[in-house]
Amino acid sequence: MLCCQSPAWAQIWLYGRCVGLIRVSRRTVACALAGAGLVLAMAAVPGSAGATPTADPLCVDAPATTAPQTNVLLLGDSITEGSPGDYTWRYFAWKHLVQGGVNVNFVGPSSGMLDIVGRYLDSHDYVCPFDEDHDAIPGGLIAYYLAPSAADPSQTRMHYDVSHYAADAVVLYAGIGDLFQNDDQLPGDDPNVPDTPQQALDHAHQAVQEAQAANPDVKIVIGTGATYPDSVFRSALQQHVRTFNQLLEDDAPTWSVAGHSQVVVAQTGKNWGGTDLTYDNQHPNVQGEVGLAAIIDESLHDVGIGPAAEPVPDLTAYLGPRQPADLLAPTTSGASVNLTWTLVPGATRSAIERREVGTSTWTTLAEPPASVADRAPTDPPACTDADGHVLGADPNVQLVAPYTCTYSDPTTVIGHSYVYRIRLAKILLFATQLTSNEITVNGLGPAPFGTALAPQVVAGVHAVTISWHPDSQATGYTVEWRPGTSGSWSSHTVAGAAASSYKITGLRTDATYQVRVTAVRAGASGPPTATLSAKVKGAVLAAPGTPVLKIAKGQRIQMTWAARAGASRYQVQIEKSGHWVVVGSPVHAAFTSGRLTKGRTYPVRVRAYDGSVAGAYSAVARIKVH
């Protein structure tokens, strides 16, 4: 489908959406969404027949023949051109003809295909080697072949192709695009209004006349327009196609020139919806290709070229990309498995499949959207081209093969073993039987995590606070502490990946504690951090109550006071000769002094200690010794 008319750039349509731009000439219009319509059969100069066959069982060499050469010119849109990884209906038509003894030579100025991933026009990644020459245009209209030839503007493209390539027959398979796509190629056409069925028929007739003018004896096959589900093309368009087809079937036979040029209609107007015959609801898969080739071969037989078509074989075993992905040896990061593979020609999607060792059930882990246009750079798996461009990131960048894909599987279970494989798809259609090589990953260990916690400790009153950098892979953290360097570890687990500190309380004043932290998650622990040390601080306690004094036997002072919570000991002081003298350090709130001087009055005060930290003094009490 032509979706823009820039002289330097054209849009590429894929799966019903414009997916990007490609640099082309004005007459080399690049749009990968093509409809089928008309088929004309003609021929020209030698092509690429006789290339080395591949191992694919559907591929053949052209047998030696002494028959005169028949030049056949194939025209149309992306259904005729094909895309990487296709057999193409052109191949199956060629195969039928050469195996039927025809010395056929496909002709035309092109031999490549539009790479729908890389967005370039000259891919030669066919499944089977054959005579690849053609003049099909992605998004091609019948009208394009009535426009002036780029090689010789004095001739139409149709006239030039038939004359220059000495075509004996022409196969034109286009037309549906004329019915729903704007066209500014022809003088007098409204560039904003698609053709009516009658206008498309008139263009088809003009194309036939141009071919006959170039070669009065040319044989022509015209195909009816394909229909699609309403979800692909609106129902009003389908009615236009049916009308066009009926007009074509009624009128085209009358375009023959008795004794010279024969014109026949190929019944290619079938429903191309679903993946039975297409890979994207529009373009034929291998089953659609071989069926389409049989219809065209039968029409070629009707004009005297080749044997009658054979029954269409069942090729469902060959659906999807015909080369498997090459899955490279994975790397592991703990419980995460990292996979790498390369997209083969024709593949646009990858499904990662996994099963656990000892089981037979495969599970699909991830696959990207069907359309390259719908793919976001974050969609798994991530694929890049040879220059590092991410597939789906910029639809205006022409990509360079090969395309390398990666995927990291984070859903494994530690200690389990898994088998992985890749199944490739082209748009909607996954390969039915081909998968990549299988890779086994045995006995996954825990992922390394919690290695950058970088803890710090701060001593407090009867406490130590440890802080760290959170680890997003953790579900919690275990904090451990112990007094000294050889005691038993105490621990507490802090829940939450974002947790970043914990305060250890109830510690002994002046004791030095070792502290460390470990990140944890289900079934696994990271490494403990380095051990840090902190000396616990004591509190500055308030003053005890005023001491209560009594004279005890032996000229001693017996004293008591209200205990101070948190005190580890007390300091008792008596003033003697103008100086305060420490006379005792009891651990309880009572003390009896030593023998004092009779008849002398003594001031007494007390303070509490929390470890080595002294508190405030009590009020002074006095008593006279007698």
Side-chain angles (χ1 to χ4, degrees):
M1 179 190 300
L2 179 64
C3 32
C4 73
Q5 285 291 335
S6 165
W9 292 88
Q11 290 175 316
I12 299 172
W13 280 74
L14 176 64
Y15 196 49
R17 294 183 57 181
C18 269
V19 300
L21 298 174
I22 188 166
R23 184 172 289 277
V24 292
S25 69
R26 188 178 187 86
R27 292 186 177 86
T28 309
V29 181
C31 287
L33 175 74
L38 293 174
V39 189
L40 297 160
M42 311 174 185
V45 297
S48 56
T52 303
T54 72
D56 191 295
L58 298 183
C59 298
V60 299
D61 277 333
T65 179
T66 58
Q69 180 172 282
T70 299
N71 296 332
V72 178
L73 174 66
L74 305 180
L75 309 175
D77 50 35
S78 58
I79 288 182
T80 294
E81 182 190 49
S83 61
D86 286 352
Y87 291 90
T88 74
W89 72 257
R90 293 185 284 121
Y91 166 73
F92 288 111
W94 173 88
K95 177 181 178 181
H96 174 77
L97 292 171
V98 298
Q99 290 186 324
V102 180
N103 184 10
V104 65
N105 177 42
F106 287 166
V107 296
S110 303
S111 60
M113 301 175 287
L114 171 65
D115 188 311
I116 59 179
V117 175
R119 308 183 187 98
Y120 60 90
L121 282 171
D122 199 31
S123 169
H124 288 266
D125 287 316
Y126 295 90
V127 176
C128 298
F130 72 109
D131 187 343
E132 301 165 355
D133 293 335
H134 65 86
D135 192 18
I137 308 167
L141 279 66
I142 303 170
Y144 291 167
Y145 297 101
L146 299 177
S149 167
D152 182 357
S154 68
Q155 304 180 60
T156 65
R157 185 170 186 156
M158 174 68 82
H159 192 287
Y160 177 85
D161 279 357
V162 175
S163 175
H164 181 75
Y165 296 106
D168 301 306
V170 177
V171 177
L172 173 64
Y173 191 31
I176 190 173
D178 299 72
L179 298 173
F180 71 96
Q181 182 175 317
N182 296 340
D183 167 42
D184 66 352
Q185 297 288 307
L186 300 179
D189 272 8
D190 187 336
N192 299 309
V193 179
D195 287 347
T196 65
Q198 182 61 54
Q199 288 172 324
L201 182 75
D202 292 342
H203 287 162
H205 191 189
Q206 293 172 39
V208 169
Q209 291 174 323
E210 287 294 314
Q212 292 170 332
N215 177 7
D217 296 316
V218 70
K219 300 176 181 184
I220 301 173
V221 175
I222 306 178
T224 54
T227 57
Y228 298 92
D230 289 349
S231 60
V232 179
F233 294 115
R234 59 189 183 277
S235 57
L237 172 63
Q238 306 303 313
Q239 183 56 51
H240 280 278
V241 174
R242 286 188 286 270
T243 301
F244 169 77
N245 288 347
Q246 188 60 56
L247 292 172
L248 187 66
E249 292 173 19
D250 292 342
D251 286 11
T254 68
W255 303 340
S256 297
V257 178
H260 293 281
S261 175
Q262 185 178 359
V263 180
V264 300
V265 176
Q267 297 298 325
T268 51
K270 61 175 64 180
N271 188 335
W272 286 96
T275 55
D276 290 342
L277 296 175
T278 76
Y279 59 78
D280 63 351
N281 284 324
Q282 300 163 28
H283 298 82
N285 59 34
V286 63
Q287 194 66 57
E289 290 168 347
V290 72
L292 182 57
I295 296 170
I296 293 171
D297 282 329
E298 186 65 25
S299 296
L300 287 172
H301 172 70
D302 290 342
V303 297
I305 299 176
E310 299 175 350
V312 176
D314 181 359
L315 298 184
T316 53
Y318 295 85
L319 294 175
R322 297 307 306 145
Q323 297 180 43
D326 182 16
L327 183 56
L328 305 180
T331 61
T332 60
S333 177
S336 183
V337 178
N338 307 306
L339 305 174
T340 303
W341 66 98
T342 301
L343 284 182
V344 303
T348 63
R349 303 166 70 196
S350 305
I352 299 95
E353 298 179 344
R354 184 192 76 189
R355 65 177 175 84
E356 194 162 348
V357 171
T359 68
S360 59
T361 301
W362 290 91
T363 300
T364 299
L365 300 179
E367 60 183 79
S371 172
V372 174
D374 288 333
R375 174 190 279 256
T378 54
D379 287 328
C383 299
T384 57
D385 76 345
D387 291 336
H389 297 116
V390 178
L391 272 64
D394 186 346
N396 299 321
V397 172
Q398 183 169 306
L399 304 176
V400 179
Y403 313 118
T404 302
C405 302
T406 59
Y407 177 73
S408 180
D409 177 15
T411 64
T412 54
V413 177
I414 294 171
H416 291 220
S417 299
Y418 299 92
V419 182
Y420 291 88
R421 70 185 184 189
I422 306 297
R423 187 182 300 275
L424 297 178
K426 187 169 188 176
I427 314 297
L428 297 176
L429 189 61
F430 279 94
T432 53
Q433 296 185 5
L434 286 179
T435 58
S436 72
N437 54 307
E438 296 180 2
I439 295 290
T440 300
V441 178
N442 291 310
L444 291 170
F449 69 106
T451 58
L453 301 183
Q456 293 182 322
V457 292
V458 176
V461 175
H462 296 176
V464 171
T465 298
I466 182 171
S467 59
W468 59 87
H469 297 311
D471 188 314
S472 61
Q473 298 184 62
T475 59
Y477 305 87
T478 297
V479 176
E480 298 176 284
W481 64 94
R482 66 180 179 183
T485 59
S486 59
S488 298
W489 290 96
S490 299
S491 66
H492 175 80
T493 297
V494 184
S500 60
S501 66
Y502 179 69
K503 185 176 184 179
I504 309 165
T505 60
L507 304 182
R508 297 198 312 268
T509 303
D510 294 336
T512 297
Y513 283 81
Q514 290 187 326
V515 188
R516 65 188 183 187
V517 62
T518 302
V520 295
R521 67 184 182 197
S525 297
T529 63
T531 298
L532 302 178
S533 297
K535 185 176 181 180
V536 177
K537 297 178 180 179
V540 178
L541 300 177
T546 304
V548 177
L549 308 179
K550 294 181 180 180
I551 299 299
K553 184 179 179 180
Q555 297 174 211
R556 292 177 172 85
I557 299 174
Q558 186 181 66
M559 57 195 79
T560 59
W561 57 89
R564 176 57 60 196
S568 59
R569 64 185 178 90
Y570 298 90
Q571 185 185 76
V572 180
Q573 296 182 2
I574 296 177
E575 185 180 7
K576 297 179 179 180
S577 302
H579 299 284
W580 288 99
V581 178
V582 176
V583 295
S585 297
V587 296
H588 301 293
F591 180 73
T592 300
S593 71
R595 189 179 183 90
L596 299 173
T597 303
K598 185 177 180 179
R600 188 172 179 179
T601 298
Y602 289 90
V604 178
R605 66 182 183 184
V606 179
R607 62 180 174 181
Y609 272 77
D610 183 6
S612 61
V613 181
Y617 288 106
S618 69
V620 176
R622 290 176 171 80
I623 192 170
K624 184 177 182 179
V625 177
H626 52 79

